[in-house]
């Protein structure tokens, strides 16, 4: 577990983190985010379709003295999203932070190859789920005096080069959704921002057969020459959830070791000598 640093910057706030579990005992983006928010004073509703994964997250939070509850839910279903929010408000009386973390890789293939039905399902999970959770969250945030919505996208939504069409398309849609929602609800005191993780090594990534050679190659594509962890994403979410980011909305924050900022310098002709 990352070095433990605590403060009370989220004291009194209530957060929902979707996809708050992780495979086995690993640390994915949702689990790390939930632990960090609780570590800094928030009461956290852990949402996952697999209760056992969320239970491991809850045990980690409770071992540190944090407060959390678990609700099983399908964020691609409107009725389930409504129930998640209702359960949260019933438990703690308010709602201040929503972290929309659920996402899937979706079907492979370019426009000629991708399966249309699988495309529709993945867009429902990756994009519509964030709209559905916000639909039921925003009225409660307004009643609480405002709030922060944090959507998880990917650097794949910022640049081309992904081998599949669905994944970067859905992640790009999340960025546009974030900006639109920020414009719609800013005057209600609701900030909406986006985190774009880069080459983060998580249990989901590991489950796809990531070899040491592939991990090294991924790391080499960053300016820092390292890969990220779920903790890096969690601390970004902490900032966007806290009052420290009170004047930030509608932005996409890449947490990617500099991968979207540029690449290591390529050989180029020398500059012209200075004229005297």
């Amino acid at each position: 577990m990352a070095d433990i640093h605590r403060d009370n910057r989220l004291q009194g706030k209530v957060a929902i983190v979707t996809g708050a579990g992780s495979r086995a005992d690993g640390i994915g983006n949702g689990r790390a985010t939930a632990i960090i928010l609780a570590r800094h004073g928030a009461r956290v509703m852990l949402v996952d379709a697999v209760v056992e994964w969320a239970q491991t997250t809850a045990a980690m939070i409770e071992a540190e003295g944090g407060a959390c509850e678990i609700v099983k839910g399908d964020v691609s279903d409107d009725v389930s999203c409504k129930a998640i929010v209702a359960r949260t408000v019933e438990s703690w009386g308010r709602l201040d932070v929503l972290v929309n973390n659920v996402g899937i890789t979706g079907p492979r293939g370019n426009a000629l190859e991708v399966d249309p039905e699988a495309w529709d399902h993945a867009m429902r999970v990756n994009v519509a789920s964030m709209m559905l959770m916000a639909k039921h969250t925003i009225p409660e945030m307004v009643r609480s005096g405002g709030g922060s919505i944090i959507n998880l996208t990917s650097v794949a939504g910022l640049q081309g080069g992904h081998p599949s069409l669905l994944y970067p398309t859905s992640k790009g849609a999340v960025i546009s959704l974030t900006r639109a929602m920020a414009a719609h609800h800013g005057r209600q005191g609701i900030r909406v921002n986006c985190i774009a993780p880069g080459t983060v090594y998580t249990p989901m990534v590991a489950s796809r057969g990531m070899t040491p050679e592939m991990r090294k190659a991924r790391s080499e594509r960053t300016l820092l020459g390292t890969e990220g962890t779920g903790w890096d994403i969690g601390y970004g979410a902490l900032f966007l959830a806290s009052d420290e980011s009170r004047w930030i909305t509608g932005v996409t924050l890449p947490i990617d070791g500099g991968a979207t900022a540029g690449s290591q310098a390529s050989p180029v002709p020398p500059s012209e000598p200075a004229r005297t």
Side-chain angles (χ1 to χ4, degrees):
M1 188 173 292
D3 291 340
I4 295 176
H5 172 73
R6 293 188 179 89
D7 58 43
N8 294 321
R9 75 183 77 175
L10 299 182
Q11 192 70 39
K13 294 187 182 293
V14 173
I16 292 174
V17 178
T18 69
S22 294
R23 290 169 172 81
D25 295 326
I27 301 295
N29 297 334
R31 175 170 288 167
T33 297
I35 292 171
I36 289 171
L37 296 185
R39 187 179 289 168
H40 290 270
R43 291 165 288 180
V44 184
M45 184 62 71
L46 309 174
V47 181
D48 209 289
V50 183
V51 171
E52 293 77 13
W53 294 354
Q55 287 173 336
T56 302
T57 305
M60 292 177 171
I61 291 173
E62 291 164 356
E64 296 184 3
C68 65
E69 291 186 11
I70 297 170
V71 59
K72 182 177 182 179
D74 174 6
V75 294
S76 68
D77 178 75
D78 186 39
V79 173
S80 180
C81 291
K82 181 177 181 179
I84 290 165
V85 173
R87 165 75 181 280
T88 304
V89 175
E90 179 184 346
S91 294
W92 293 310
R94 61 183 296 123
L95 182 52
D96 306 278
V97 178
L98 168 65
V99 181
N100 278 318
N101 171 65
V102 169
I104 60 176
T105 304
R108 298 180 180 181
N110 58 32
L112 304 179
E113 302 160 342
V114 67
D115 176 75
E117 291 186 5
W119 172 283
D120 289 345
H121 171 71
M123 290 294 285
R124 179 83 180 181
V125 173
N126 287 3
V127 184
S129 67
M130 298 188 181
M131 174 274 294
L132 292 172
M133 284 300 301
K135 169 185 174 182
H136 300 291
T137 292
I138 288 170
E140 297 300 337
M141 285 186 170
V142 171
R143 279 188 274 272
S144 297
S148 173
I149 297 175
I150 304 161
N151 298 321
L152 270 288
T153 181
S154 167
V155 294
L158 294 169
Q159 56 190 16
H162 196 280
S164 297
L165 182 62
L166 179 281
Y167 189 74
T169 300
S170 66
K171 295 306 181 180
V174 170
I175 294 169
S176 293
L177 175 145
T178 297
R179 291 173 180 154
M181 287 175 54
H184 291 162
H185 304 292
R187 297 303 174 94
Q188 296 171 292
I190 296 170
R191 298 182 297 107
V192 189
N193 292 295
C194 207
I195 292 176
T199 51
V200 176
Y201 189 68
T202 65
M204 179 180 288
V205 171
S207 72
R208 299 203 298 266
M210 187 67 61
T211 66
E213 293 75 18
M214 293 172 68
R215 291 180 66 180
K216 180 175 175 54
R218 281 165 32 110
S219 297
E220 289 298 323
R221 293 202 300 267
T222 72
L223 295 184
L224 297 179
T226 58
E227 65 184 0
T229 72
W231 300 115
D232 298 310
I233 308 309
Y235 280 111
L238 172 65
F239 171 66
L240 293 175
S242 73
D243 292 339
E244 294 164 343
S245 61
R246 69 174 191 88
W247 213 46
I248 298 174
T249 194
V251 307
T252 297
L253 172 64
I255 302 180
D256 64 354
T260 53
S263 58
Q264 289 295 313
S266 300
V268 295
S271 301
E272 293 183 8
R275 294 182 179 180
T276 59

